[in-house]
Coordinates of all heavy atoms in Angstrom, one line a residue:
G811 N 17.5 4.0 -30.6 CA 17.5 4.7 -29.4 C 16.0 5.1 -29.1 O 15.1 5.0 -29.9
F812 N 15.9 5.6 -27.8 CA 14.5 6.0 -27.4 C 14.5 7.4 -26.8 O 15.5 7.9 -26.3 CB 14.1 5.0 -26.3 CG 13.9 3.6 -26.8 CD1 14.8 2.6 -26.5 CD2 12.7 3.2 -27.4 CE1 14.7 1.3 -27.0 CE2 12.5 1.9 -27.9 CZ 13.5 1.0 -27.7
Y813 N 13.3 8.0 -26.9 CA 13.1 9.3 -26.3 C 11.9 9.1 -25.4 O 11.0 8.4 -25.7 CB 12.8 10.3 -27.4 CG 13.9 10.5 -28.3 CD1 14.1 9.6 -29.4 CD2 14.8 11.6 -28.1 CE1 15.2 9.8 -30.2 CE2 15.9 11.7 -29.0 CZ 16.1 10.9 -30.1 OH 17.2 11.0 -30.9
T814 N 11.9 9.9 -24.3 CA 10.8 9.8 -23.3 C 10.4 11.1 -22.8 O 11.3 12.0 -22.6 CB 11.1 8.8 -22.2 OG1 9.9 8.5 -21.4 CG2 12.2 9.3 -21.3
C815 N 9.2 11.3 -22.4 CA 8.7 12.4 -21.6 C 7.4 12.0 -20.9 O 6.8 11.0 -21.2 CB 8.5 13.6 -22.5 SG 7.5 13.4 -23.9
V816 N 7.1 12.8 -19.9 CA 5.9 12.5 -19.1 C 4.7 13.4 -19.5 O 4.9 14.6 -19.6 CB 6.2 12.8 -17.6 CG1 5.0 12.6 -16.7 CG2 7.3 11.8 -17.1
D817 N 3.6 12.8 -19.7 CA 2.4 13.6 -19.9 C 1.9 14.1 -18.5 O 1.4 13.4 -17.7 CB 1.2 12.8 -20.5 CG 0.0 13.6 -20.8 OD1 -0.1 14.7 -20.2 OD2 -0.8 13.2 -21.6
K818 N 2.3 15.4 -18.2 CA 2.0 15.9 -16.9 C 0.6 16.2 -16.6 O 0.2 16.4 -15.4 CB 2.9 17.2 -16.7 CG 4.4 16.9 -16.8 CD 5.2 18.2 -16.5 CE 5.2 18.4 -15.0 NZ 6.2 19.4 -14.6
E819 N -0.3 16.1 -17.6 CA -1.7 16.3 -17.4 C -2.4 15.0 -16.9 O -3.4 15.1 -16.3 CB -2.3 16.8 -18.7 CG -1.8 18.2 -19.1 CD -2.6 18.7 -20.3 OE1 -3.6 18.1 -20.8 OE2 -2.1 19.8 -20.8
T820 N -1.8 13.9 -17.2 CA -2.4 12.7 -16.7 C -1.6 12.0 -15.6 O -2.2 11.1 -14.9 CB -2.5 11.6 -17.9 OG1 -1.2 11.4 -18.4 CG2 -3.4 12.2 -19.0
C821 N -0.4 12.4 -15.3 CA 0.3 11.9 -14.2 C -0.4 12.2 -12.9 O -0.9 13.3 -12.7 CB 1.7 12.6 -14.1 SG 2.7 12.2 -12.6
I822 N -0.5 11.2 -12.0 CA -1.3 11.4 -10.8 C -0.3 11.4 -9.6 O -0.7 11.2 -8.4 CB -2.3 10.3 -10.6 CG1 -1.7 8.9 -10.6 CG2 -3.4 10.4 -11.6 CD1 -2.6 7.7 -10.2
A823 N 1.0 11.6 -9.9 CA 2.0 11.7 -8.8 C 2.1 10.4 -8.0 O 2.2 10.5 -6.7 CB 1.7 12.9 -7.9
C824 N 2.0 9.3 -8.6 CA 2.0 8.1 -7.9 C 3.4 7.8 -7.3 O 3.6 7.0 -6.4 CB 1.6 6.9 -8.7 SG 2.8 6.2 -9.8
G825 N 4.5 8.3 -8.0 CA 5.8 8.2 -7.5 C 6.6 6.9 -7.9 O 7.7 6.7 -7.4
S826 N 6.0 6.1 -8.8 CA 6.6 4.9 -9.2 C 7.8 5.1 -10.1 O 8.8 4.4 -9.9 CB 5.6 4.0 -9.9 OG 6.2 2.8 -10.3
C827 N 7.7 6.0 -11.0 CA 8.7 6.2 -12.0 C 10.1 6.6 -11.4 O 11.1 6.1 -11.7 CB 8.3 7.1 -13.1 SG 7.7 8.7 -12.6
G828 N 10.0 7.6 -10.5 CA 11.2 8.0 -9.9 C 11.9 7.0 -9.0 O 13.1 7.0 -8.8
A829 N 11.0 6.1 -8.4 CA 11.6 5.1 -7.6 C 12.3 4.0 -8.4 O 13.4 3.5 -8.0 CB 10.4 4.4 -6.8
L830 N 11.8 3.8 -9.6 CA 12.4 2.7 -10.4 C 13.5 3.3 -11.3 O 14.4 2.6 -11.7 CB 11.3 2.1 -11.3 CG 10.3 1.2 -10.6 CD1 9.1 0.9 -11.6 CD2 10.9 -0.1 -10.2
A831 N 13.4 4.6 -11.6 CA 14.4 5.2 -12.5 C 14.8 6.6 -12.1 O 14.5 7.6 -12.7 CB 13.8 5.2 -13.9
P832 N 15.5 6.6 -10.9 CA 15.8 7.9 -10.3 C 16.8 8.8 -11.2 O 16.8 10.0 -11.0 CB 16.4 7.5 -9.0 CG 17.0 6.1 -9.2 CD 16.0 5.5 -10.1
D833 N 17.5 8.2 -12.1 CA 18.3 8.9 -13.0 C 17.6 9.6 -14.1 O 18.1 10.4 -14.8 CB 19.5 8.0 -13.5 CG 20.4 7.5 -12.5 OD1 20.6 8.3 -11.5 OD2 20.9 6.4 -12.6
I834 N 16.3 9.2 -14.3 CA 15.6 9.7 -15.4 C 14.5 10.6 -15.0 O 14.2 11.6 -15.6 CB 14.9 8.5 -16.2 CG1 16.0 7.5 -16.7 CG2 14.1 9.1 -17.4 CD1 15.5 6.3 -17.4
F835 N 13.7 10.2 -13.9 CA 12.6 11.0 -13.5 C 12.7 11.6 -12.2 O 13.3 11.0 -11.2 CB 11.3 10.0 -13.5 CG 11.0 9.3 -14.8 CD1 11.4 8.0 -15.0 CD2 10.4 10.0 -15.8 CE1 11.2 7.4 -16.2 CE2 10.1 9.4 -17.0 CZ 10.5 8.1 -17.2
D836 N 12.2 12.8 -12.1 CA 12.1 13.5 -10.8 C 10.7 14.2 -10.7 O 9.9 14.1 -11.7 CB 13.2 14.6 -10.7 CG 13.5 15.0 -9.2 OD1 12.8 14.5 -8.3 OD2 14.4 15.8 -9.0
Y837 N 10.4 14.8 -9.6 CA 9.1 15.3 -9.4 C 9.1 16.8 -9.2 O 10.0 17.3 -8.5 CB 8.4 14.6 -8.3 CG 8.5 13.1 -8.3 CD1 9.3 12.4 -7.4 CD2 7.8 12.4 -9.3 CE1 9.4 11.1 -7.5 CE2 7.9 11.0 -9.3 CZ 8.7 10.4 -8.5 OH 8.8 9.0 -8.5
D838 N 8.1 17.5 -9.6 CA 8.0 18.9 -9.4 C 7.4 19.1 -7.9 O 7.1 18.2 -7.2 CB 7.2 19.7 -10.4 CG 5.7 19.3 -10.5 OD1 5.2 18.7 -9.5 OD2 5.0 19.6 -11.5
D839 N 7.1 20.4 -7.6 CA 6.6 20.7 -6.2 C 5.3 20.0 -5.9 O 5.0 19.8 -4.7 CB 6.4 22.2 -6.1 CG 7.8 22.9 -6.1 OD1 8.8 22.3 -5.9 OD2 7.7 24.2 -6.2
E840 N 4.5 19.6 -6.9 CA 3.3 18.9 -6.7 C 3.4 17.4 -6.8 O 2.3 16.7 -6.8 CB 2.2 19.5 -7.7 CG 2.0 21.0 -7.4 CD 0.9 21.6 -8.4 OE1 0.8 21.0 -9.5 OE2 0.3 22.6 -8.0
G841 N 4.6 17.0 -7.0 CA 4.8 15.5 -7.1 C 4.6 15.0 -8.5 O 4.6 13.8 -8.8
I842 N 4.3 15.9 -9.5 CA 4.2 15.5 -10.9 C 5.5 15.2 -11.5 O 6.5 16.0 -11.3 CB 3.4 16.5 -11.7 CG1 2.1 16.9 -11.0 CG2 3.2 16.1 -13.1 CD1 1.1 15.7 -10.9
A843 N 5.6 14.1 -12.2 CA 6.9 13.7 -12.7 C 7.3 14.4 -14.0 O 6.5 14.9 -14.7 CB 6.9 12.2 -13.0
Y844 N 8.6 14.5 -14.2 CA 9.2 15.0 -15.4 C 10.5 14.4 -15.7 O 11.1 13.8 -14.8 CB 9.3 16.6 -15.4 CG 10.4 17.0 -14.4 CD1 11.7 17.3 -14.8 CD2 10.0 17.2 -13.0 CE1 12.6 17.7 -13.9 CE2 11.0 17.7 -12.1 CZ 12.3 17.9 -12.5 OH 13.2 18.3 -11.6
V845 N 11.0 14.4 -16.9 CA 12.2 13.8 -17.3 C 13.4 14.8 -17.0 O 13.4 15.9 -17.5 CB 12.2 13.4 -18.8 CG1 13.6 12.9 -19.2 CG2 11.1 12.4 -19.1
L846 N 14.3 14.3 -16.2 CA 15.4 15.1 -15.8 C 16.3 15.5 -16.9 O 16.9 16.6 -16.9 CB 16.3 14.3 -14.7 CG 15.8 14.3 -13.3 CD1 16.6 13.2 -12.6 CD2 16.0 15.6 -12.6
L847 N 16.5 14.6 -17.9 CA 17.5 14.7 -18.9 C 17.4 16.0 -19.7 O 18.4 16.6 -20.0 CB 17.5 13.6 -19.8 CG 17.6 12.2 -19.2 CD1 17.5 11.1 -20.3 CD2 18.9 12.0 -18.5
D848 N 16.2 16.5 -19.9 CA 16.1 17.6 -20.8 C 14.8 18.5 -20.4 O 14.2 19.1 -21.2 CB 15.9 17.2 -22.3 CG 14.7 16.4 -22.5 OD1 14.0 16.0 -21.5 OD2 14.4 16.1 -23.7
G849 N 14.5 18.4 -19.1 CA 13.3 19.2 -18.7 C 12.0 18.8 -19.3 O 11.1 19.6 -19.5
N850 N 11.9 17.5 -19.6 CA 10.7 16.9 -20.1 C 10.3 17.3 -21.5 O 9.2 17.2 -21.9 CB 9.5 17.2 -19.1 CG 8.4 16.1 -19.2 OD1 8.7 14.9 -19.1 ND2 7.2 16.5 -19.4
K851 N 11.3 17.7 -22.3 CA 11.0 18.0 -23.7 C 10.9 16.8 -24.6 O 10.4 16.9 -25.7 CB 12.1 19.0 -24.2 CG 12.1 20.3 -23.5 CD 13.2 21.2 -24.2 CE 13.2 22.6 -23.6 NZ 13.7 22.6 -22.2
G852 N 11.5 15.7 -24.1 CA 11.4 14.5 -25.0 C 12.4 14.6 -26.2 O 12.2 13.9 -27.2
K853 N 13.4 15.4 -26.0 CA 14.4 15.5 -27.1 C 15.7 15.0 -26.8 O 16.6 15.0 -27.7 CB 14.5 17.0 -27.5 CG 13.2 17.6 -28.0 CD 13.4 19.1 -28.3 CE 12.1 19.8 -28.7 NZ 11.5 19.2 -29.9
A854 N 15.9 14.4 -25.6 CA 17.2 13.9 -25.3 C 17.2 12.4 -25.5 O 16.4 11.6 -25.0 CB 17.5 14.1 -23.8
L855 N 18.2 11.9 -26.3 CA 18.3 10.5 -26.6 C 18.7 9.8 -25.3 O 19.6 10.2 -24.6 CB 19.4 10.3 -27.6 CG 19.7 8.8 -28.0 CD1 18.5 8.2 -28.7 CD2 20.9 8.7 -28.9
M856 N 17.9 8.8 -25.0 CA 18.1 8.1 -23.7 C 19.4 7.3 -23.8 O 19.6 6.5 -24.7 CB 16.9 7.1 -23.5 CG 16.9 6.3 -22.2 SD 16.8 7.4 -20.7 CE 15.4 8.4 -21.2
P857 N 20.3 7.5 -22.8 CA 21.5 6.7 -22.8 C 21.1 5.2 -22.7 O 20.2 4.9 -21.9 CB 22.2 7.2 -21.5 CG 21.7 8.6 -21.3 CD 20.2 8.5 -21.7
S858 N 21.8 4.4 -23.4 CA 21.4 3.0 -23.5 C 21.5 2.3 -22.1 O 20.7 1.4 -21.8 CB 22.3 2.2 -24.5 OG 23.7 2.4 -24.1
I859 N 22.3 2.8 -21.3 CA 22.5 2.2 -19.9 C 21.2 2.4 -19.1 O 21.0 1.7 -18.1 CB 23.7 2.7 -19.2 CG1 24.1 1.8 -18.0 CG2 23.6 4.1 -18.8 CD1 25.4 2.1 -17.4
L860 N 20.4 3.4 -19.5 CA 19.2 3.7 -18.7 C 17.9 3.2 -19.4 O 16.8 3.3 -18.8 CB 19.1 5.3 -18.6 CG 20.1 6.0 -17.7 CD1 19.9 7.5 -17.7 CD2 20.1 5.4 -16.3
E861 N 18.1 2.5 -20.5 CA 16.9 2.1 -21.2 C 16.0 1.1 -20.4 O 14.8 1.2 -20.4 CB 17.2 1.4 -22.6 CG 17.6 2.4 -23.6 CD 17.9 1.8 -25.0 OE1 17.8 0.5 -25.1 OE2 18.3 2.5 -25.9
Q862 N 16.6 0.2 -19.7 CA 15.8 -0.8 -19.0 C 15.1 -0.1 -17.8 O 13.9 -0.4 -17.6 CB 16.7 -1.9 -18.4 CG 15.8 -3.1 -17.8 CD 14.9 -3.7 -18.8 OE1 15.3 -4.1 -19.9 NE2 13.6 -3.7 -18.5
D863 N 15.7 0.8 -17.2 CA 15.0 1.6 -16.1 C 13.8 2.4 -16.7 O 12.7 2.4 -16.1 CB 16.0 2.6 -15.4 CG 16.9 1.9 -14.5 OD1 16.8 0.7 -14.3 OD2 17.8 2.7 -13.9
M864 N 14.0 2.9 -17.9 CA 13.0 3.7 -18.5 C 11.8 2.8 -18.8 O 10.6 3.1 -18.6 CB 13.5 4.3 -19.8 CG 12.4 5.0 -20.6 SD 13.0 5.4 -22.3 CE 13.0 3.7 -23.0
I865 N 12.0 1.6 -19.3 CA 11.0 0.7 -19.7 C 10.3 0.2 -18.4 O 9.0 0.1 -18.3 CB 11.5 -0.5 -20.5 CG1 12.0 0.0 -21.8 CG2 10.5 -1.7 -20.6 CD1 12.9 -1.0 -22.6
D866 N 11.0 -0.1 -17.3 CA 10.4 -0.5 -16.1 C 9.5 0.6 -15.6 O 8.4 0.3 -15.1 CB 11.5 -0.8 -15.0 CG 12.3 -2.0 -15.3 OD1 11.9 -2.9 -16.2 OD2 13.4 -2.2 -14.7
A867 N 9.9 1.8 -15.6 CA 9.1 2.9 -15.2 C 7.8 3.0 -16.0 O 6.7 3.2 -15.5 CB 9.9 4.2 -15.2
Q868 N 8.0 3.0 -17.3 CA 6.8 3.1 -18.2 C 5.8 2.0 -17.9 O 4.6 2.3 -17.8 CB 7.3 3.0 -19.7 CG 6.2 3.1 -20.7 CD 6.5 2.7 -22.1 OE1 7.4 1.9 -22.3 NE2 5.9 3.3 -23.1
E869 N 6.3 0.8 -17.7 CA 5.4 -0.3 -17.5 C 4.7 -0.2 -16.1 O 3.6 -0.7 -15.9 CB 6.1 -1.7 -17.6 CG 6.5 -2.0 -19.0 CD 7.3 -3.3 -19.1 OE1 7.8 -3.8 -18.1 OE2 7.5 -3.7 -20.3
S870 N 5.3 0.5 -15.2 CA 4.8 0.7 -13.8 C 3.8 1.8 -13.7 O 3.0 1.8 -12.7 CB 5.9 0.9 -12.8 OG 6.3 2.2 -12.9
C871 N 3.8 2.7 -14.7 CA 2.9 3.9 -14.5 C 1.4 3.5 -14.6 O 1.0 3.0 -15.7 CB 3.3 4.9 -15.5 SG 2.3 6.4 -15.4
P872 N 0.6 3.8 -13.6 CA -0.8 3.4 -13.6 C -1.6 4.2 -14.6 O -2.7 3.7 -14.9 CB -1.2 3.6 -12.2 CG -0.3 4.7 -11.7 CD 1.0 4.5 -12.4
T873 N -1.1 5.3 -15.1 CA -2.0 6.1 -16.0 C -1.3 6.2 -17.4 O -1.8 7.1 -18.2 CB -2.1 7.5 -15.4 OG1 -0.8 8.1 -15.2 CG2 -2.9 7.5 -14.1
D874 N -0.4 5.4 -17.7 CA 0.3 5.4 -19.0 C 0.8 6.8 -19.4 O 0.7 7.3 -20.5 CB -0.6 4.9 -20.1 CG -0.8 3.4 -20.0 OD1 0.2 2.7 -19.6 OD2 -1.8 2.9 -20.4
S875 N 1.3 7.5 -18.4 CA 1.7 8.9 -18.6 C 3.2 9.0 -19.1 O 3.6 10.1 -19.6 CB 1.6 9.7 -17.3 OG 0.3 9.8 -16.9
I876 N 3.9 7.9 -19.1 CA 5.3 7.9 -19.6 C 5.3 7.5 -21.1 O 5.0 6.4 -21.4 CB 6.2 7.0 -18.7 CG1 6.2 7.6 -17.3 CG2 7.6 7.0 -19.3 CD1 6.9 6.7 -16.3
K877 N 5.6 8.5 -21.9 CA 5.5 8.2 -23.3 C 6.9 7.9 -23.8 O 7.9 8.6 -23.4 CB 5.0 9.5 -24.1 CG 3.7 10.0 -23.5 CD 2.6 9.0 -23.6 CE 1.3 9.5 -23.0 NZ 0.2 8.5 -23.0
V878 N 7.0 6.9 -24.6 CA 8.3 6.5 -25.2 C 8.2 6.3 -26.7 O 7.2 5.7 -27.2 CB 8.8 5.1 -24.6 CG1 10.1 4.6 -25.2 CG2 9.0 5.3 -23.1
Q879 N 9.1 6.8 -27.4 CA 9.1 6.6 -28.9 C 10.5 6.6 -29.4 O 11.5 7.0 -28.7 CB 8.2 7.6 -29.6 CG 8.6 9.0 -29.5 CD 7.7 9.9 -30.2 OE1 6.4 9.7 -30.2 NE2 8.2 11.0 -30.8
T880 N 10.7 6.2 -30.6 CA 12.0 6.1 -31.2 C 12.5 7.4 -31.9 O 13.6 7.4 -32.4 CB 12.2 4.9 -32.2 OG1 11.2 5.1 -33.2 CG2 12.0 3.6 -31.4
K881 N 11.6 8.3 -32.0 CA 11.9 9.6 -32.6 C 11.8 10.7 -31.5 O 11.0 10.6 -30.5 CB 11.0 10.0 -33.7 CG 11.2 9.1 -34.9 CD 10.3 9.5 -36.1 CE 10.5 8.6 -37.3 NZ 9.6 8.9 -38.4
S882 N 12.5 11.8 -31.6 CA 12.4 12.9 -30.7 C 11.0 13.4 -30.7 O 10.4 13.5 -31.8 CB 13.4 14.0 -31.1 OG 13.3 15.1 -30.3
F883 N 10.5 13.8 -29.6 CA 9.2 14.5 -29.5 C 9.3 15.9 -30.0 O 10.4 16.5 -29.9 CB 8.7 14.5 -28.1 CG 8.3 13.1 -27.6 CD1 9.2 12.2 -27.1 CD2 7.0 12.7 -27.6 CE1 8.9 11.0 -26.6 CE2 6.6 11.5 -27.1 CZ 7.5 10.6 -26.6
D884 N 8.3 16.4 -30.6 CA 8.3 17.7 -31.1 C 6.9 18.4 -30.8 O 6.0 17.8 -30.2 CB 8.7 17.8 -32.6 CG 7.7 17.1 -33.5 OD1 6.5 17.0 -33.2 OD2 8.2 16.5 -34.4
Q885 N 6.7 19.5 -31.3 CA 5.5 20.3 -31.0 C 4.2 19.6 -31.6 O 3.1 19.8 -31.1 CB 5.6 21.7 -31.6 CG 6.6 22.5 -30.8 CD 6.6 24.0 -31.3 OE1 6.3 24.2 -32.4 NE2 7.0 24.9 -30.4
N886 N 4.4 18.8 -32.6 CA 3.3 18.1 -33.2 C 3.0 16.7 -32.6 O 2.1 16.1 -32.9 CB 3.5 17.9 -34.7 CG 3.6 19.3 -35.4 OD1 2.8 20.2 -35.1 ND2 4.5 19.4 -36.4
N887 N 3.9 16.4 -31.7 CA 3.8 15.0 -31.1 C 4.4 15.1 -29.7 O 5.3 14.4 -29.4 CB 4.5 14.0 -32.0 CG 4.2 12.6 -31.5 OD1 3.3 12.3 -30.7 ND2 5.0 11.6 -32.0
D888 N 3.8 15.9 -28.9 CA 4.4 16.1 -27.6 C 3.7 15.2 -26.5 O 2.9 14.4 -26.8 CB 4.4 17.6 -27.2 CG 3.0 18.1 -27.0 OD1 2.0 17.3 -26.8 OD2 2.9 19.3 -26.9
C889 N 4.1 15.4 -25.3 CA 3.6 14.6 -24.2 C 2.3 15.0 -23.6 O 1.8 14.4 -22.7 CB 4.7 14.4 -23.1 SG 5.8 13.1 -23.5
T890 N 1.9 16.2 -23.9 CA 0.7 16.7 -23.3 C -0.5 16.3 -24.1 O -0.6 16.4 -25.3 CB 0.7 18.2 -23.1 OG1 0.9 18.8 -24.4 CG2 1.8 18.7 -22.2
S891 N -1.5 15.8 -23.3 CA -2.7 15.4 -24.0 C -3.7 16.5 -24.2 O -3.5 17.6 -23.6 CB -3.4 14.2 -23.3 OG -3.6 14.6 -21.9
Ligands
F3S902 FE1 3.2 10.0 -12.6 FE2 3.2 7.7 -13.7 FE3 5.4 8.6 -12.6 S1 1.6 8.6 -12.5 S2 4.7 9.9 -10.9 S3 4.4 9.4 -14.4 S4 4.7 6.5 -12.6

C-alpha cells in the first residue's frame, strides 16, 4: 500500500493534483494542496481504488510536492522540507 502527503512549502498551487485526483487532494484558502484523507498527515493508507489517481497526480506535479512512500509518514520523515 501507499501513503501520500503534500509538501505545502514547495506546492505552487498549480491545481493539477486536485483536478486529476479530486478524492485525494483539495486546496486550502491559498490554493495550496493537502491530502483530504487525513488532513495531510501522510498516515492514511491509500485505498487501492485511488492509487492510480494518486500516481497520476504525483507525476503531474511540477514541483514534486506530492510525496509517496510505502510506509506511513511520521515526524522524522514528513512532507515539509
Ligand atoms: Fe501543488 Fe503540485 Fe498539487 S504544485 S496544487 S501539489 S500538483
Side-chain angles (χ1 to χ4, degrees):
F812 295 100
Y813 298 83
T814 187
C815 52
V816 175
D817 184 339
K818 300 186 73 169
E819 295 186 7
T820 60
C821 171
I822 57 170
C824 84
S826 179
C827 53
L830 290 167
D833 294 328
I834 304 173
F835 302 100
D836 201 357
Y837 311 109
D838 68 15
D839 290 344
E840 298 179 334
I842 303 299
Y844 67 94
V845 175
L846 279 167
L847 303 178
D848 64 352
N850 208 49
K851 293 185 177 68
K853 296 179 185 296
L855 181 64
M856 185 61 49
S858 56
I859 196 170
L860 294 178
E861 281 183 1
Q862 188 60 54
D863 283 357
M864 178 193 69
I865 292 166
D866 290 346
Q868 181 192 28
E869 291 178 346
S870 79
C871 180
T873 57
D874 285 330
S875 296
I876 298 173
K877 308 303 182 185
V878 175
Q879 63 183 35
T880 56
K881 292 180 178 177
S882 179
F883 288 82
D884 59 35
Q885 290 182 334
N886 297 321
N887 187 14
D888 65 16
C889 269
T890 56
S891 54

